Amino acid sequence: MRGRLLGAAVVAVVGVASALVVATGPASAANPIITSVYTADPAPLVVGNTMYIYAGRDEAAAGNNNFVMREWRVLSSTNAATWTDQGARANIATFPWAGADAWASEVEPRNGRYYWYTSVNGNGAGWMNIGVAVGDSPLGPFTDAKGGPLISDSTANSSGLNIDPTVFVDDDGQTYMYWGGYWGVRAVRLASNMIDTVGSVVTPQGLTNYWEAPFMFKRNGLYYMLYAANDTQGCVTSSSYACQRYATATNPMGPWTHRGVVLGQVSSTTNHAGAVEFNGQWYMVYHNANAPGGGNFRRSVAVDRMYFNADGTIQPVVQTTTGPPANPGGGGGGVQPPAGTNLAPAATGSTSYVSSWETLAAINNGGVPTSSADRSNQAYGNWPEQGTQWIEYTWPSARSVNRTAAYWFDDDQGIDVPASCHVQYWNGTAYVNVPGQSTCGVAANTYNVTTFNTVSTTRLRLSITARSGFSTGVLEWMAFQP
Ligand code: FUB
């Protein structure tokens, strides 16, 4: 953060959280994701089929060059494209010992409870503190869990600015908190009660050019830390702005290995991000100044897709004004296979290439994927081949077909949904496109149905063209009798 008033500005304490709930209904799919209020410092959390974003609210008047932040809001979506503002679910008054500055926060679940770690200005000595509230659902209600700050300026070896907590519960139950601003990153273990620290506060190593805003997550056994930096060595054009760098580690307390810039400069001076997997896709949430009337103290939350490379590094996130396409998911039976007589199980499959650790049998074994990342019924993939590849069905005698459905495989590594595809058939002398075919869809987490004029053939082929830099895969390919 920059350009703010130093010191504890006294602000009017707003009413209890429940009195502030304003549900504005679904927003349109676009970035920023809501524009009815200004929102900042987003932290994502997926619970069941819902993605939540916990965010502060910027209330500064136009032209006011200081943060005015009094509450924390929740946004939710079941497809990562259309968002509902669930209103303020905590505010400064949630912490009776605090009086101002509802800055960056994050929610971490444990044992059915939801712990909301916040940056907030206490009424005691010093400036910013880390507080923790708790609730029994992602939407609360939330109450102060500790009766005082978890971290304050009097905590030994605390940061020069105790803001921006990120808390991560590992698979073994060990819990870690990182936080800090003004280049002062700190880490400490938390007890299983989530409200006490365990051991000493340490200064983690390897978070190169750290400025503020850490966000920790784990993927395929590797720990990741996103964080804001403001150097001009590949990060930003002016150190008034910030980018998101990231680092990885094999131990949750580090040391960390810096991996580069994952989100470039945004239109606000501050840059605060988080990442989450939802319905088989990864997303980065961040903020910018792009809403009408927006600015450095009137920020708005945006969401875009985030892609991993096969080696676990992350591709730089592309900032869009459209946001991600709707991700309908499939978990819990959300997407049912199309009805009809599926001729695929009776066919023999063949392909231009299949990776040795995957299997072509996946495409017609009748599996019902819950998402494009679901390997539970096996997966076909052609990594490391790129460009155009194909899969094919052969029947011992001609079959009439007029519809197919493809469920793409996306491992969030080297395999992604394709750029395009088309259905072809063997006309006796060559493969040609089936006549009158509708768009060959490339959506993740669903069945992409292609219809066409009926053909009678012994061989049907799905020609698949990969996105640049990726291979492709298929979890199920259905072929229907008219
Ligand atoms: O929103 C107030 C502060 O600005 C946050 O705590 C920082 O991360 C920066 O985004």
Side-chain angles (χ1 to χ4, degrees):
M1 71 280 105
R2 352 197 115 61
R4 62 178 163 247
L5 273 177
L6 294 178
V10 177
V11 298
V13 174
V14 289
V16 295
S18 57
L20 291 166
V21 173
V22 180
T24 57
S28 58
N31 274 329
I33 59 174
I34 66 160
T35 54
S36 50
V37 292
Y38 295 111
T39 51
D41 305 324
L45 175 69
V46 168
V47 180
N49 66 352
T50 303
M51 179 171 161
Y52 297 93
I53 293 177
Y54 297 85
R57 177 182 177 190
D58 273 341
E59 296 185 74
N64 179 356
N65 289 331
N66 292 292
F67 291 120
V68 179
M69 303 183 76
R70 295 180 286 208
E71 64 188 30
W72 294 277
R73 300 178 82 88
V74 187
L75 316 176
S76 69
S77 175
T78 54
N79 65 8
T82 51
W83 290 86
T84 299
D85 179 3
Q86 301 285 357
R89 298 288 169 157
N91 60 35
I92 292 167
T94 303
F95 301 101
W97 46 269
D101 299 334
W103 287 11
S105 70
E106 182 183 311
V107 169
E108 183 72 3
R110 184 170 194 146
N111 296 335
R113 308 202 84 191
Y114 297 83
Y115 294 86
W116 200 339
Y117 298 87
T118 64
S119 317
V120 69
N121 187 347
N123 288 323
W127 185 12
M128 295 299 286
N129 306 270
I130 307 297
V132 52
V134 65
D136 290 328
S137 89
L139 294 176
F142 291 93
T143 54
D144 185 14
K146 192 171 169 68
L150 175 58
I151 299 289
S152 71
D153 287 347
S154 58
T155 302
N157 191 35
S158 71
S159 172
L161 185 59
N162 291 304
I163 60 169
D164 296 2
T166 181
V167 173
F168 176 74
V169 179
D170 209 348
D171 307 328
D172 61 3
Q174 294 294 315
T175 304
Y176 307 90
M177 182 169 77
Y178 284 72
W179 77 99
Y182 286 163
W183 303 281
V185 62
R186 296 292 185 270
V188 73
R189 290 173 192 269
L190 295 187
S192 57
N193 67 8
M194 302 292 273
I195 64 169
D196 289 318
T197 60
V198 176
S200 310
V201 171
V202 301
T203 303
Q205 301 301 305
L207 299 172
T208 305
N209 292 344
Y210 177 95
W211 161 248
E212 62 183 11
F215 183 87
M216 184 175 179
F217 64 97
K218 187 179 184 182
R219 177 180 177 274
N220 292 345
L222 191 63
Y223 301 92
Y224 288 79
M225 190 73 72
L226 311 178
Y227 57 94
N230 64 348
D231 61 87
T232 51
Q233 292 90 50
C235 173
V236 286
T237 54
S238 150
S239 59
S240 301
Y241 285 83
C243 72
Q244 286 285 324
R245 292 185 176 276
Y246 80 106
T248 60
T250 53
N251 183 303
M253 293 295 266
W256 295 87
T257 301
H258 172 247
R259 299 288 181 188
V261 173
V262 64
L263 180 71
Q265 187 169 320
V266 296
S267 53
S268 58
T269 48
T270 57
N271 191 330
H272 194 117
V276 74
E277 184 177 20
F278 177 61
N279 288 340
Q281 312 274 350
W282 278 85
Y283 297 90
M284 175 173 277
V285 303
Y286 58 99
H287 68 219
N288 59 34
N290 289 0
N296 295 332
F297 304 94
R298 292 153 69 88
R299 301 162 292 180
S300 294
V301 171
V303 178
D304 274 307
R305 285 288 313 271
M306 191 173 93
Y307 295 96
F308 288 86
N309 297 309
D311 64 0
T313 55
I314 312 175
Q315 298 182 6
V317 169
V318 176
Q319 299 176 43
T320 74
T321 54
T322 54
N327 178 343
V335 178
Q336 296 299 316
T341 303
N342 179 18
L343 301 169
T348 302
S350 56
T351 180
S352 53
Y353 185 81
V354 58
S355 310
S356 59
W357 54 91
E358 284 159 352
T359 175
L360 183 64
I363 67 172
N364 61 343
N365 65 5
V368 180
T370 57
S371 77
S372 283
D374 178 10
R375 300 168 187 260
S376 58
N377 295 294
Q378 302 182 302
Y380 157 80
N382 52 43
W383 191 87
E385 299 300 309
Q386 298 187 1
T388 298
Q389 303 292 324
W390 52 262
I391 57 175
E392 185 178 298
Y393 287 142
T394 302
W395 292 276
S397 58
R399 299 287 191 276
S400 292
V401 190
N402 73 346
R403 188 166 50 109
T404 60
Y407 203 117
W408 302 111
F409 176 40
D410 177 358
D411 69 353
D412 263 316
Q413 299 186 65
I415 293 177
D416 201 352
V417 295
S420 62
C421 55
H422 50 271
V423 181
Q424 300 180 317
Y425 77 111
W426 182 254
N427 68 2
T429 51
Y431 277 103
V432 296
N433 289 348
V434 292
Q437 76 177 278
S438 62
T439 302
C440 188
V442 295
N445 307 313
T446 193
Y447 293 90
N448 292 273
V449 175
T450 304
T451 58
F452 44 89
N453 301 337
T454 301
V455 294
S456 179
T457 185
T458 55
R459 293 193 234 168
L460 198 69
R461 178 179 281 198
L462 182 59
S463 173
I464 312 164
T465 300
R467 297 175 66 238
S468 175
F470 287 94
S471 304
T472 52
V474 175
L475 296 177
E476 198 70 20
W477 187 40
M478 307 173 82
F480 293 96
Q481 178 178 292

